[in-house]
Amino acid sequence: MNTPTTPGGSRSPQNNNGETKRNLLIACAAVILSILVGWLVFTAVRASKRAEAAQIQMEQLQLDMAQSQLESDYALLNEEFAQFENSRRFIMDDSVKRELNDKYEAARVQVEKLQQELKNQKHKSAAEIAKLKDEIGTLRALLRHYVEEIDRLNKENEALRSENKEIKERNSRLSSQVTETTRRNEVLSERMTLAEKLNVTGLNLTPLNKKGKNEKKVSKATQLKVTFTIPQNNSTPVGEKTIYMRIMSPSGQLLGTGATFAFEGGQVGYTARKTIEYAGEEIGGVTIFYDVNTPLIAGDYQVELFADNFRLISRSFTLK
């Protein structure tokens, strides 16, 4: 089909109008498409930024939670370490105690430093959180080592206490045995010593007048006569024996001249003395006299005999 033309070969006005409309439509479509594409790109970028911000916020929240958990773990460790402090006395070796404390204190200072740094930071670092976690892990390992060390020392101390208790009980038994043996030996020694003592029987006190006769009234006596018998005693060493006599008046005064003899580490006054030869056989009628040099009164008189550092006998006599 031939397109109509105007004179001179040009298109008709009707054809020009149609082409212009098409071009306008194409231009409008291009503008609309450009606007739509721009809006889509803007929306996509904004959504991406929001997603990125949300991701960053989520990561910070997770880091905050991790930090809070680590701080709780650290507080728990401090409580456990305080309990350990109460048991630290079981560690007797000062060098071991000092080494354990130094290590724990150094690790604890590092943890507190990291905690403070994280609190001062607006945005948490995963690397710093991990470092804090490692430091707290070091503390936990140290505390575990402390607990194991204390358990070991407690077992050793318990074994030592048990051993010491057994030793004390054994020593107590030995001490009791030694005490009992010593007591028995002392008793035997005392018996043996006493067995060596001279025996005295038939002790008697008699006032005499100036004629050597018995006097009924002690106030008229010029002499006091003490008589006694020394029985046989095979345990008594034989030899010369000096017998010391003491007579106490009713007023508690020792009769005599003031002479003394040695007895149990001291000096004791006596009234009169007599030396005999003892051969292990009985000696009867042994007599010791005291010459009265002061007036005597009626009453109870106490007579004592001593020999070989023994008090042989003591007896009271009533004289009228």
Side-chain angles (χ1 to χ4, degrees), residues 86-118:
N86 295 330
S87 304
R88 190 176 58 175
R89 65 183 184 276
F90 292 113
I91 302 179
M92 306 304 294
D93 191 329
D94 289 338
S95 61
V96 173
K97 185 186 299 183
R98 186 165 50 253
E99 180 184 0
L100 293 176
N101 286 342
D102 290 347
K103 287 182 178 179
Y104 191 90
E105 287 301 321
R108 186 158 62 178
V109 168
Q110 181 64 17
V111 168
E112 291 176 351
K113 178 181 178 182
L114 289 173
Q115 282 184 324
Q116 189 60 41
E117 289 177 355
L118 287 172

Side-chain angles (χ1 to χ4, degrees), residues 21-170:
K21 288 180 180 180
R22 274 198 310 275
N23 291 336
L24 286 175
L25 289 174
I26 292 172
C28 288
V31 171
I32 293 171
L33 181 61
S34 297
I35 292 172
L36 180 61
V37 170
W39 181 81
L40 291 174
V41 170
F42 172 76
T43 302
V45 170
R46 187 172 61 177
S48 175
K49 288 183 178 181
R50 287 180 178 177
E52 183 179 353
Q55 179 65 28
I56 292 174
Q57 186 176 4
M58 179 62 70
E59 290 177 355
Q60 284 298 312
L61 181 61
Q62 290 175 348
L63 291 175
D64 289 342
M65 293 176 62
Q67 181 183 359
S68 297
Q69 181 61 45
L70 290 176
E71 289 175 353
S72 298
D73 292 345
Y74 176 65
L76 182 61
L77 280 175
N78 274 336
E79 292 179 3
E80 293 177 359
F81 187 78
Q83 296 175 1
F84 159 76
E85 287 284 299
N86 295 330
S87 304
R88 190 176 58 175
R89 65 183 184 276
F90 292 113
I91 302 179
M92 306 304 294
D93 191 329
D94 289 338
S95 61
V96 173
K97 185 186 299 183
R98 186 165 50 253
E99 180 184 0
L100 293 176
N101 286 342
D102 290 347
K103 287 182 178 179
Y104 191 90
E105 287 301 321
R108 186 158 62 178
V109 168
Q110 181 64 17
V111 168
E112 291 176 351
K113 178 181 178 182
L114 289 173
Q115 282 184 324
Q116 189 60 41
E117 289 177 355
L118 287 172
K119 287 180 180 178
N120 295 335
Q121 291 178 4
K122 184 176 181 180
H123 300 289
K124 310 302 181 185
S125 167
E128 291 175 337
I129 292 291
K131 186 176 180 181
L132 177 61
K133 185 176 181 180
D134 290 342
E135 292 294 340
I136 291 180
T138 299
L139 275 180
R140 184 175 286 108
L142 282 172
L143 187 59
R144 188 182 305 113
H145 175 62
Y146 287 178
V147 172
E148 292 173 352
E149 183 71 10
I150 290 176
D151 287 343
R152 182 184 66 81
L153 292 172
N154 282 340
K155 290 178 181 178
E156 290 182 359
N157 290 338
E158 184 64 31
L160 289 175
R161 283 193 292 268
S162 177
E163 183 178 351
N164 288 338
K165 181 180 179 181
E166 183 179 351
I167 291 174
K168 287 181 180 178
E169 290 177 351
R170 189 185 311 129

